[in-house]
Amino acid sequence: MNASKISSLDTQTLQTQLAQAIDTHPQCRPGLLATHRVVSTACGPSGDVELLARVHVGALGRGHWYAHVARLPVPAPETSKTEKKTVNTAPPYPFTALICHSNIVYDAPEVNLLFQRHYYWMRDRVYYTVPKAGHRDQLCRSATSFAQAVQALAAMLRTFHPDHHLGEPEGGEFWDTRVQALYGTTVTVIDGAPLAPPGTPLVWEAEQ
């Protein structure tokens, strides 16, 4: 079959026409992670400033890597039964910088919706993978401030390789389970009905 003859100028014109059709369609808005890569909010689901980025889109079956900076949930002050005084249980390093993995790809055209979807898949549905690491500072670091956490995240990303943190730990590697401190390990309940256990295929996954 002979290839169609079309000039580069004609190709560019057709691309522009298609882009205009997409841009003017109210239901075809691009996602923020696709257009900006890094998105922040002054008050996310954690109740404080947060940052979210998609750092790697993997091949089929390899999942996707995200970067997240957020304040850890602060437990309520405890009262000592013996001394009858309040004990401060707040973590000394409240902000966490985390590189996390999930088999779910998500995005949204609005900031609030994007963070809601991130927490839905990572915390509510627990669709994250506990990664392996070679040392403690590879995928997760704690910080006293949001700025320090973002700087720590940038430092981790400079040496990050998406293929080095999946699979069974070998040769001194270990499971970095600190992702569970931010997102939890249990399945939540929505509208009184428990969700499927973590890893249960969605309908569209099972049909493929």
Side-chain angles (χ1 to χ4, degrees):
M1 183 177 65
N2 295 329
S4 300
K5 294 182 179 180
I6 184 170
S7 68
S8 58
L9 180 60
D10 290 338
T11 301
Q12 185 62 44
T13 300
L14 294 172
Q15 290 177 349
T16 301
Q17 292 175 354
L18 181 58
Q20 290 175 344
I22 295 173
D23 291 341
T24 56
H25 196 297
Q27 302 301 321
C28 294
R29 292 182 295 167
L32 294 175
L33 292 180
T35 56
H36 292 72
R37 300 197 67 180
V38 179
V39 181
S40 63
T41 178
C43 186
S46 67
D48 207 333
V49 60
E50 294 190 43
L51 178 145
L52 182 65
R54 186 164 60 225
V55 299
H56 178 76
V57 177
L60 182 64
R62 297 294 292 175
H64 317 283
W65 289 94
Y66 299 87
H68 188 201
V69 174
R71 179 185 287 272
L72 276 171
V74 179
E78 297 179 356
T79 301
S80 173
K81 295 181 179 179
T82 57
E83 301 181 15
K84 295 183 179 181
K85 66 179 182 180
T86 300
V87 179
N88 184 12
T89 58
Y93 301 98
F95 282 94
T96 297
L98 180 72
I99 300 175
C100 49
H101 178 271
S102 177
N103 288 322
I104 301 295
V105 59
Y106 53 84
D107 208 336
E110 299 172 355
V111 173
N112 289 340
L113 182 58
L114 173 62
F115 280 88
Q116 289 172 8
R117 287 178 176 174
H118 175 78
Y119 275 88
Y120 172 76
W121 288 113
M122 304 296 279
R123 182 186 63 189
D124 298 344
R125 293 301 299 266
V126 202
Y127 265 88
Y128 62 77
T129 303
V130 176
K132 65 179 182 179
H135 60 81
R136 183 173 176 82
D137 291 334
Q138 272 192 320
L139 299 175
C140 183
R141 298 187 189 183
S142 299
T144 58
S145 69
F146 176 76
Q148 289 181 353
V150 174
Q151 292 170 355
L153 178 59
M156 289 190 295
L157 286 171
R158 292 188 186 102
T159 59
F160 170 73
H161 194 294
D163 294 332
H164 292 174
H165 302 285
L166 299 177
E168 295 290 329
E170 300 176 354
E173 296 175 333
F174 60 93
W175 296 117
D176 195 337
T177 59
R178 288 174 294 173
V179 62
Q180 298 170 341
L182 194 61
Y183 301 130
T185 59
T186 59
V187 180
T188 59
V189 174
I190 292 182
D191 295 333
L195 293 172
T200 300
L202 303 177
V203 173
W204 52 267
E205 291 177 329
E207 292 177 346
Q208 292 181 350

